[in-house]
Amino acid sequence: MAQAVEDWYKQMPIITRSYLTAAIVTTIGCSLEIISPYNLYLNPRLVVKQYQIWRLITNFLYFRKMDLDFLFHMFFLARYCKLLEENSFRGKTADFFYMLLFGATVLTTIVLVGGMIPYVSESFAKIIFLSNSLTFMMVYVWSKQNPFIHMSFLGLFTFTAAYLPWVLLGFSVLVGASAWVDLLGMIAGHAYYFLEDVYPKMTGRRPLKTPSFIKTLFADEAVVVARPAEVRFAAPPVEEMRR
């Protein structure tokens, strides 16, 4: 059993493995009171006035207390982050990292701007960790890129992947979780999907082209097409050789 888990972990692509590890270590560290969540949450005032820049990153690593909701999000993170990195972004690690960076930037901007808008500022002020939203963004992007895959929700009903974000949003509402967190992930995911997949087809321009300095951080693996092992080439007929 331990060997199977180790093999599964080692087979994960680099970004998925790194994010999953950081999220689990951070959440367990907070549960054991080794790390204080008060040093991790998103606080614009502390970021600007006391230069606690790490909060822009750490608020994406903490998934609150270790309960059923935590297990659900670890499953979503391990599954859909891995599916995206291994399929849509295969051999494009820098592009995948840039997608997460774009999503984190959009989510942070929405929360900061929303906190300054009357009537909704109170709701945004309560969102101090964006880890669940970033996970939901990956689910949304995957569902948009694989809309026709058939899925089942707890064995109760089947649907296509295009409706997965809405099914999960409805489930969150049923269990009493905040719908805002999932909606933010959907907004960030749709922004990326539109700018990366829809807009370039409409205009021929790609606004989310990965910067070269990010590409230099990752040595993207080459996609190798292997020749079939048992293919043999017959010699030309004798008549053709005489010609």
Side-chain angles (χ1 to χ4, degrees), residues 190-208:
H190 192 75
Y192 177 83
Y193 171 73
F194 177 80
L195 293 174
E196 179 64 17
D197 294 335
V198 178
Y199 185 77
K201 294 177 182 177
M202 295 168 54
T203 64
R205 289 175 292 186
R206 187 185 171 202
L208 290 183

Side-chain angles (χ1 to χ4, degrees), residues 42-45 47-48 56 105-117 124 127 130:
L42 180 62
N43 186 319
R45 183 178 58 82
V47 171
V48 174
L56 296 175
T105 303
V106 170
L107 290 170
T108 303
T109 302
I110 292 175
V111 170
L112 295 181
V113 173
M116 297 184 290
I117 300 176
F124 281 103
I127 303 175
L130 291 166

Side-chain angles (χ1 to χ4, degrees), residues 3-15:
Q3 185 63 41
V5 173
E6 182 181 352
D7 292 341
W8 170 78
Y9 177 77
K10 288 181 177 179
Q11 289 172 3
M12 282 187 175
I14 181 64
I15 299 295

Side-chain angles (χ1 to χ4, degrees), residues 135-180:
T135 303
F136 208 86
M137 172 198 168
M138 288 186 275
V139 173
Y140 186 90
V141 172
W142 179 85
S143 72
K144 280 294 189 179
Q145 295 180 347
N146 303 273
F148 303 112
I149 293 180
H150 289 274
M151 310 187 75
S152 174
F153 182 74
L154 302 178
L156 299 176
F157 59 91
T158 58
F159 55 94
T160 57
Y163 298 99
L164 177 61
W166 300 103
V167 172
L168 296 179
L169 176 63
F171 179 73
S172 296
V173 173
L174 285 176
V175 298
S178 172
W180 276 106

Side-chain angles (χ1 to χ4, degrees), residues 17-212:
R17 185 168 66 244
S18 300
Y19 189 22
L20 182 66
T21 303
I24 292 177
V25 169
T26 302
T27 304
I28 291 178
C30 290
S31 298
L32 297 177
E33 298 184 356
I34 300 173
I35 307 171
S36 172
Y38 292 104
N39 294 326
L40 307 177
Y41 75 97
L42 180 62
N43 186 319
R45 183 178 58 82
L46 295 178
V47 171
V48 174
K49 293 187 176 181
Q50 298 188 23
Y51 306 107
Q52 297 183 9
I53 308 298
W54 67 82
R55 293 179 182 274
L56 296 175
I57 300 174
T58 55
N59 81 92
F60 291 100
L61 302 179
Y62 180 48
F63 283 80
R64 305 296 180 116
K65 57 184 180 180
M66 297 184 65
D67 53 8
L68 184 61
D69 184 64
F70 170 76
L71 294 178
F72 265 117
H73 281 89
M74 287 302 99
F75 170 76
F76 293 146
L77 176 58
R79 176 173 173 78
Y80 295 105
C81 188
K82 182 173 182 285
L83 285 173
L84 282 173
E85 192 171 358
E86 286 185 339
N87 296 294
S88 301
F89 293 91
R90 182 172 181 80
K92 299 184 291 184
T93 307
D95 292 345
F96 185 61
F97 177 80
Y98 189 56
M99 183 201 79
L100 295 180
L101 183 62
F102 172 82
T105 303
V106 170
L107 290 170
T108 303
T109 302
I110 292 175
V111 170
L112 295 181
V113 173
M116 297 184 290
I117 300 176
Y119 304 110
V120 296
S121 58
E122 229 177 279
S123 298
F124 281 103
K126 296 177 182 178
I127 303 175
I128 56 178
F129 292 102
L130 291 166
S131 47
N132 291 355
S133 298
L134 188 61
T135 303
F136 208 86
M137 172 198 168
M138 288 186 275
V139 173
Y140 186 90
V141 172
W142 179 85
S143 72
K144 280 294 189 179
Q145 295 180 347
N146 303 273
F148 303 112
I149 293 180
H150 289 274
M151 310 187 75
S152 174
F153 182 74
L154 302 178
L156 299 176
F157 59 91
T158 58
F159 55 94
T160 57
Y163 298 99
L164 177 61
W166 300 103
V167 172
L168 296 179
L169 176 63
F171 179 73
S172 296
V173 173
L174 285 176
V175 298
S178 172
W180 276 106
V181 173
D182 293 348
L183 285 172
L184 288 179
M186 293 174 70
I187 292 171
H190 192 75
Y192 177 83
Y193 171 73
F194 177 80
L195 293 174
E196 179 64 17
D197 294 335
V198 178
Y199 185 77
K201 294 177 182 177
M202 295 168 54
T203 64
R205 289 175 292 186
R206 187 185 171 202
L208 290 183
K209 186 177 180 180
T210 305
S212 56

